[in-house]
Amino acid sequence: MRSRLNTRIKLRQIEIVLAVAEQGSFLAASHKLSITQPAVSKAVQDVEEIVGHPIFDRMARGVMINQFGRAVVERGMAMMSLVERLADDMVQIEQGQAGTLIIGALPTAASSVLPSTLGRLKVTNPELNIRIVQGRTAELMPELESGKLDLIVGRLYELETVHDVQRETIYHEPISMLARAGHPLLSGPTPDAAAIAAFGLVLPSLEQRLGQEVDGVIASSGLSIPSSLLRSTSISFIRELVLTSDFVTVLPRLMLAGDLGRGTAGVVPIMLSSGRRPAGIITLRHRRRPASIAALLTALRAHLRELRASGLLDEDGGVQTAAESA
Protein backbone atom coordinates (compact mmCIF):
# COMPACT_ATOMS: atom_id res chain seq x y z
CA MET A 1 0.00 0.00 0.00
CA ARG A 2 2.69 2.49 1.02
CA SER A 3 4.70 1.91 -2.15
CA ARG A 4 1.60 2.48 -4.30
CA LEU A 5 0.87 5.77 -2.55
CA ASN A 6 4.49 6.91 -2.81
CA THR A 7 4.78 6.26 -6.52
CA ARG A 8 1.31 6.78 -7.96
CA ILE A 9 -0.76 9.38 -6.14
CA LYS A 10 -0.52 12.89 -7.58
CA LEU A 11 -1.20 16.33 -6.18
CA ARG A 12 -3.71 17.06 -8.94
CA GLN A 13 -5.70 13.99 -7.95
CA ILE A 14 -5.70 15.15 -4.32
CA GLU A 15 -6.86 18.60 -5.41
CA ILE A 16 -9.79 17.05 -7.30
CA VAL A 17 -10.76 14.81 -4.36
CA LEU A 18 -10.78 17.85 -2.06
CA ALA A 19 -13.01 19.74 -4.49
CA VAL A 20 -15.49 16.83 -4.67
CA ALA A 21 -15.56 16.54 -0.86
CA GLU A 22 -16.23 20.27 -0.57
CA GLN A 23 -18.84 20.49 -3.35
CA GLY A 24 -20.60 17.18 -2.72
CA SER A 25 -20.78 16.20 -6.40
CA PHE A 26 -18.56 15.48 -9.39
CA LEU A 27 -20.41 18.06 -11.49
CA ALA A 28 -19.98 20.90 -9.00
CA ALA A 29 -16.32 20.01 -8.54
CA SER A 30 -15.79 20.08 -12.31
CA HIS A 31 -17.31 23.56 -12.47
CA LYS A 32 -15.08 24.79 -9.63
CA LEU A 33 -11.91 23.42 -11.22
CA SER A 34 -12.93 24.26 -14.82
CA ILE A 35 -12.42 20.68 -16.02
CA THR A 36 -14.83 18.09 -17.39
CA GLN A 37 -16.93 15.85 -15.20
CA PRO A 38 -15.39 12.69 -16.71
CA ALA A 39 -11.95 14.01 -15.73
CA VAL A 40 -13.16 14.44 -12.14
CA SER A 41 -14.67 10.97 -12.11
CA LYS A 42 -11.49 9.45 -13.53
CA ALA A 43 -9.27 11.16 -10.91
CA VAL A 44 -11.48 9.94 -8.04
CA GLN A 45 -11.51 6.39 -9.44
CA ASP A 46 -7.72 6.45 -9.75
CA VAL A 47 -7.34 7.50 -6.09
CA GLU A 48 -9.79 4.82 -5.00
CA GLU A 49 -7.79 2.22 -6.90
CA ILE A 50 -4.53 3.41 -5.32
CA VAL A 51 -5.85 3.40 -1.72
CA GLY A 52 -7.79 0.18 -2.29
CA HIS A 53 -11.12 1.52 -1.01
CA PRO A 54 -14.00 3.66 -2.26
CA ILE A 55 -13.66 7.13 -0.76
CA PHE A 56 -17.12 8.45 -1.72
CA ASP A 57 -20.50 6.74 -1.42
CA ARG A 58 -22.53 7.42 -4.58
CA MET A 59 -25.95 8.81 -3.73
CA ALA A 60 -29.00 9.64 -5.86
CA ARG A 61 -27.95 13.26 -5.77
CA GLY A 62 -24.21 13.65 -5.66
CA VAL A 63 -21.75 11.82 -3.44
CA MET A 64 -21.08 11.53 0.29
CA ILE A 65 -17.62 11.11 1.73
CA ASN A 66 -16.97 7.98 3.83
CA GLN A 67 -14.38 7.17 6.49
CA PHE A 68 -11.72 6.26 3.91
CA GLY A 69 -12.42 9.49 2.08
CA ARG A 70 -12.10 11.50 5.28
CA ALA A 71 -8.61 10.06 5.79
CA VAL A 72 -7.65 11.01 2.23
CA VAL A 73 -9.09 14.50 2.65
CA GLU A 74 -7.36 15.11 5.99
CA ARG A 75 -3.96 14.04 4.66
CA GLY A 76 -4.63 15.70 1.34
CA MET A 77 -5.32 19.05 2.99
CA ALA A 78 -2.03 18.76 4.86
CA MET A 79 -0.23 17.95 1.60
CA MET A 80 -1.76 20.94 -0.19
CA SER A 81 -0.87 23.17 2.76
CA LEU A 82 2.76 22.04 2.51
CA VAL A 83 2.74 22.80 -1.21
CA GLU A 84 1.38 26.29 -0.53
CA ARG A 85 4.05 26.83 2.11
CA LEU A 86 6.67 25.63 -0.36
CA ALA A 87 5.42 28.18 -2.88
CA ASP A 88 5.69 30.89 -0.22
CA ASP A 89 9.19 29.69 0.59
CA MET A 90 10.19 30.00 -3.07
CA VAL A 91 9.02 33.62 -3.09
CA GLN A 92 10.89 34.39 0.14
CA ILE A 93 14.06 32.69 -1.11
CA GLU A 94 13.81 34.66 -4.35
CA GLN A 95 13.63 37.83 -2.25
CA GLY A 96 16.48 36.73 0.04
CA GLN A 97 14.13 36.50 3.02
CA ALA A 98 14.37 32.73 3.60
CA GLY A 99 16.41 29.69 2.68
CA THR A 100 19.94 28.92 3.82
CA LEU A 101 23.06 30.98 3.07
CA ILE A 102 26.30 29.05 3.60
CA ILE A 103 29.30 31.35 4.00
CA GLY A 104 32.91 30.30 3.82
CA ALA A 105 34.78 32.64 6.15
CA LEU A 106 38.52 33.25 6.21
CA PRO A 107 39.82 33.69 9.79
CA THR A 108 40.24 37.47 9.55
CA ALA A 109 36.71 38.03 8.23
CA ALA A 110 35.25 35.62 10.79
CA SER A 111 36.64 37.66 13.67
CA SER A 112 36.27 41.15 12.18
CA VAL A 113 33.57 42.21 9.73
CA LEU A 114 31.27 39.19 9.74
CA PRO A 115 29.87 39.27 13.31
CA SER A 116 28.43 42.79 12.98
CA THR A 117 27.43 42.18 9.37
CA LEU A 118 25.47 39.06 10.26
CA GLY A 119 23.82 40.88 13.15
CA ARG A 120 22.53 43.45 10.69
CA LEU A 121 21.47 40.75 8.23
CA LYS A 122 19.45 38.94 10.89
CA VAL A 123 17.50 42.13 11.58
CA THR A 124 16.60 42.72 7.94
CA ASN A 125 16.20 39.04 6.98
CA PRO A 126 15.08 37.26 10.17
CA GLU A 127 13.91 34.06 8.44
CA LEU A 128 17.19 33.53 6.60
CA ASN A 129 19.22 30.60 7.92
CA ILE A 130 22.96 31.27 7.98
CA ARG A 131 25.80 28.78 8.29
CA ILE A 132 29.45 29.77 8.72
CA VAL A 133 32.25 27.45 7.64
CA GLN A 134 35.63 28.84 8.71
CA GLY A 135 38.83 27.79 6.99
CA ARG A 136 41.71 28.77 4.76
CA THR A 137 41.33 29.68 1.11
CA ALA A 138 42.76 26.34 -0.04
CA GLU A 139 40.27 24.51 2.17
CA LEU A 140 37.24 26.59 1.20
CA MET A 141 37.73 26.76 -2.58
CA PRO A 142 36.82 23.07 -3.22
CA GLU A 143 33.72 23.54 -1.06
CA LEU A 144 32.71 26.58 -3.12
CA GLU A 145 33.28 24.82 -6.42
CA SER A 146 31.27 21.78 -5.34
CA GLY A 147 28.31 23.98 -4.40
CA LYS A 148 28.60 23.36 -0.66
CA LEU A 149 29.31 27.07 -0.10
CA ASP A 150 27.46 30.01 -1.61
CA LEU A 151 30.42 32.37 -1.28
CA ILE A 152 33.69 33.01 0.53
CA VAL A 153 34.27 36.19 2.54
CA GLY A 154 37.68 37.50 3.47
CA ARG A 155 41.12 38.38 2.19
CA LEU A 156 41.41 38.00 -1.58
CA TYR A 157 44.64 36.04 -1.82
CA GLU A 158 46.01 35.14 -5.22
CA LEU A 159 44.64 31.73 -6.15
CA GLU A 160 47.23 29.03 -6.69
CA THR A 161 45.30 27.39 -9.54
CA VAL A 162 42.82 28.60 -12.16
CA HIS A 163 39.26 28.62 -10.85
CA ASP A 164 36.01 29.66 -12.53
CA VAL A 165 35.29 32.25 -9.85
CA GLN A 166 34.55 35.93 -9.53
CA ARG A 167 36.45 38.00 -6.96
CA GLU A 168 35.00 41.31 -5.77
CA THR A 169 37.03 43.74 -3.67
CA ILE A 170 34.82 45.44 -1.07
CA TYR A 171 37.29 46.63 1.56
CA HIS A 172 40.97 46.43 2.50
CA GLU A 173 42.79 44.88 5.46
CA PRO A 174 45.93 46.90 6.31
CA ILE A 175 48.24 45.40 8.93
CA SER A 176 49.35 47.35 12.02
CA MET A 177 50.99 46.83 15.38
CA LEU A 178 48.33 46.70 18.08
CA ALA A 179 48.42 46.97 21.87
CA ARG A 180 46.04 47.35 24.80
CA ALA A 181 44.78 50.80 25.75
CA GLY A 182 47.26 52.62 27.97
CA HIS A 183 50.21 50.59 26.74
CA PRO A 184 53.52 52.53 27.03
CA LEU A 185 54.24 52.05 23.31
CA LEU A 186 51.11 53.99 22.35
CA SER A 187 52.28 57.31 23.78
CA GLY A 188 56.06 57.11 23.61
CA PRO A 189 58.43 57.69 20.69
CA THR A 190 58.41 55.40 17.69
CA PRO A 191 59.56 52.08 19.15
CA ASP A 192 62.48 50.08 17.80
CA ALA A 193 62.88 46.31 17.75
CA ALA A 194 64.45 46.28 21.21
CA ALA A 195 61.57 48.21 22.76
CA ILE A 196 59.03 45.90 21.15
CA ALA A 197 60.91 42.79 22.28
CA ALA A 198 61.05 44.11 25.83
CA PHE A 199 57.25 43.99 26.10
CA GLY A 200 56.80 40.72 24.23
CA LEU A 201 55.50 40.04 20.74
CA VAL A 202 52.77 37.54 19.85
CA LEU A 203 52.19 36.70 16.18
CA PRO A 204 50.05 34.30 14.13
CA SER A 205 51.61 30.90 13.49
CA LEU A 206 53.72 30.46 10.37
CA GLU A 207 51.51 27.47 9.54
CA GLN A 208 48.90 30.05 8.61
CA ARG A 209 49.03 32.19 5.50
CA LEU A 210 48.29 35.20 7.69
CA GLY A 211 51.37 34.47 9.81
CA GLN A 212 53.58 34.31 6.75
CA GLU A 213 52.13 37.57 5.47
CA VAL A 214 52.59 39.31 8.83
CA ASP A 215 56.24 38.22 8.93
CA GLY A 216 56.69 39.56 5.40
CA VAL A 217 55.21 42.93 6.39
CA ILE A 218 57.53 43.18 9.41
CA ALA A 219 60.57 42.34 7.30
CA SER A 220 59.65 44.74 4.48
CA SER A 221 59.18 47.51 7.05
CA GLY A 222 62.80 47.23 8.14
CA LEU A 223 62.07 45.64 11.51
CA SER A 224 63.68 42.51 12.86
CA ILE A 225 61.55 39.79 14.41
CA PRO A 226 62.76 39.00 17.94
CA SER A 227 64.23 35.55 18.43
CA SER A 228 62.05 35.07 21.49
CA LEU A 229 58.39 35.57 20.67
CA LEU A 230 55.09 33.80 21.08
CA ARG A 231 53.12 32.38 18.16
CA SER A 232 49.59 31.00 18.11
CA THR A 233 47.13 29.62 15.57
CA SER A 234 44.28 31.11 17.65
CA ILE A 235 43.40 34.72 16.90
CA SER A 236 41.10 34.81 19.94
CA PHE A 237 44.07 33.80 22.14
CA ILE A 238 46.25 36.53 20.61
CA ARG A 239 43.53 39.13 21.16
CA GLU A 240 42.98 38.12 24.78
CA LEU A 241 46.70 38.12 25.51
CA VAL A 242 47.17 41.59 24.01
CA LEU A 243 44.16 43.08 25.84
CA THR A 244 45.17 41.68 29.23
CA SER A 245 48.96 42.10 29.20
CA ASP A 246 51.82 44.17 27.78
CA PHE A 247 52.26 41.86 24.78
CA VAL A 248 51.85 43.56 21.41
CA THR A 249 50.86 41.96 18.12
CA VAL A 250 50.93 42.61 14.40
CA LEU A 251 47.61 41.80 12.74
CA PRO A 252 45.09 43.17 10.26
CA ARG A 253 43.56 46.06 12.17
CA LEU A 254 40.01 45.00 11.35
CA MET A 255 40.52 41.95 13.55
CA LEU A 256 40.47 44.29 16.55
CA ALA A 257 38.09 46.87 15.08
CA GLY A 258 35.62 46.37 17.93
CA ASP A 259 38.35 46.88 20.53
CA LEU A 260 39.67 49.94 18.69
CA GLY A 261 36.16 51.38 18.58
CA ARG A 262 35.56 50.77 22.27
CA GLY A 263 38.94 52.28 23.14
CA THR A 264 40.30 49.09 24.71
CA ALA A 265 43.04 48.79 22.09
CA GLY A 266 45.18 51.16 20.06
CA VAL A 267 47.53 51.27 17.08
CA VAL A 268 51.24 51.53 17.95
CA PRO A 269 52.68 54.56 16.07
CA ILE A 270 55.03 52.65 13.82
CA MET A 271 54.89 52.56 10.03
CA LEU A 272 54.35 49.13 8.51
CA SER A 273 54.41 48.52 4.75
CA SER A 274 51.31 46.35 4.52
CA GLY A 275 49.92 47.62 1.23
CA ARG A 276 46.19 47.71 0.50
CA ARG A 277 45.49 43.96 1.03
CA PRO A 278 42.14 43.67 -0.82
CA ALA A 279 39.32 41.73 0.80
CA GLY A 280 35.78 40.94 -0.26
CA ILE A 281 33.88 37.96 -1.63
CA ILE A 282 34.52 35.04 -3.97
CA THR A 283 31.63 33.43 -5.87
CA LEU A 284 31.32 30.98 -8.73
CA ARG A 285 31.26 32.92 -11.98
CA HIS A 286 28.50 30.95 -13.72
CA ARG A 287 26.33 30.11 -10.73
CA ARG A 288 23.15 32.08 -10.26
CA ARG A 289 23.62 34.44 -7.33
CA PRO A 290 20.78 34.17 -4.79
CA ALA A 291 19.18 37.30 -3.38
CA SER A 292 20.52 36.35 0.05
CA ILE A 293 24.06 37.19 -1.14
CA ALA A 294 22.87 40.63 -2.21
CA ALA A 295 21.32 41.07 1.25
CA LEU A 296 24.61 40.02 2.87
CA LEU A 297 26.55 42.54 0.77
CA THR A 298 24.09 45.28 1.70
CA ALA A 299 24.63 44.51 5.39
CA LEU A 300 28.42 44.34 4.94
CA ARG A 301 28.59 47.70 3.16
CA ALA A 302 26.36 49.25 5.84
CA HIS A 303 28.75 48.00 8.52
CA LEU A 304 31.75 49.40 6.64
CA ARG A 305 29.98 52.76 6.28
CA GLU A 306 29.42 52.78 10.02
CA LEU A 307 33.11 52.13 10.62
CA ARG A 308 33.99 55.03 8.32
CA ALA A 309 31.47 57.33 10.01
CA SER A 310 32.95 56.51 13.42
CA GLY A 311 36.45 57.26 12.15
CA LEU A 312 37.62 53.66 12.45
CA LEU A 313 37.82 53.04 8.72
CA ASP A 314 39.18 55.34 6.04
CA GLU A 315 37.95 55.42 2.45
CA ASP A 316 40.70 53.03 1.37
CA GLY A 317 39.56 50.46 3.89
CA GLY A 318 42.19 51.09 6.56
CA VAL A 319 41.13 51.11 10.19
CA GLN A 320 42.12 54.25 12.05
CA THR A 321 42.41 55.21 15.67
CA ALA A 322 40.61 58.34 16.81
CA ALA A 323 43.95 60.18 16.87
CA GLU A 324 44.73 59.22 13.29
CA SER A 325 41.33 60.33 11.99
CA ALA A 326 41.43 63.70 13.77
Side-chain angles (χ1 to χ4, degrees), residues 72-271:
V72 173
V73 167
E74 289 176 3
R75 298 299 185 185
M77 291 176 66
M79 291 170 59
M80 298 306 294
S81 176
L82 286 174
V83 171
E84 291 176 1
R85 289 173 58 187
L86 178 60
D88 291 340
D89 288 345
M90 294 299 103
V91 172
Q92 288 189 312
I93 291 172
E94 185 177 20
Q95 297 173 346
Q97 295 295 326
T100 300
L101 179 65
I102 308 178
I103 303 170
L106 271 66
T108 304
S111 61
S112 60
V113 297
L114 273 180
S116 294
T117 295
L118 296 182
R120 289 175 175 273
L121 183 60
K122 200 61 180 176
V123 171
T124 58
N125 300 58
E127 300 302 318
L128 180 63
N129 295 314
I130 303 168
R131 284 179 51 202
I132 301 294
V133 180
Q134 185 171 328
R136 305 174 185 177
T137 302
E139 299 166 343
L140 297 177
M141 282 303 302
E143 300 291 295
L144 177 67
E145 293 179 311
S146 66
K148 295 179 181 178
L149 299 177
D150 292 307
L151 76 163
I152 297 173
V153 179
R155 173 80 163 91
L156 297 179
Y157 291 106
E158 291 298 324
L159 300 178
E160 296 177 355
T161 58
V162 177
H163 298 272
D164 186 25
V165 298
Q166 180 171 319
R167 293 150 44 95
E168 299 177 41
T169 299
I170 300 175
Y171 61 102
H172 295 85
E173 294 181 344
I175 290 176
S176 291
M177 185 170 291
L178 305 165
R180 64 167 175 80
H183 195 286
L185 292 182
L186 295 180
S187 56
T190 301
D192 55 19
I196 295 169
F199 288 105
L201 183 64
V202 56
L203 298 177
S205 171
L206 289 175
E207 299 171 3
Q208 301 166 288
R209 200 165 182 175
L210 175 60
Q212 299 168 17
E213 195 169 6
V214 164
D215 277 31
V217 168
I218 293 174
S220 65
S221 301
L223 295 175
S224 59
I225 298 176
S227 56
S228 59
L229 77 160
L230 181 60
R231 291 189 183 271
S232 175
T233 59
S234 171
I235 299 301
S236 60
F237 170 80
I238 294 175
R239 172 181 174 272
E240 187 67 17
L241 182 64
V242 167
L243 293 180
T244 58
S245 73
D246 281 341
F247 271 85
V248 295
T249 188
V250 179
L251 286 175
R253 292 191 228 174
L254 276 177
M255 299 190 84
L256 267 67
D259 300 300
L260 291 168
R262 290 185 292 268
T264 56
V267 177
V268 177
I270 185 172
M271 294 297 297

Side-chain angles (χ1 to χ4, degrees), residues 293-313:
I293 290 183
L296 173 70
L297 292 178
T298 297
L300 174 58
R301 290 190 172 102
H303 175 53
L304 295 175
R305 284 196 300 271
E306 186 177 84
L307 289 176
R308 293 188 182 99
S310 67
L312 291 175
L313 189 70

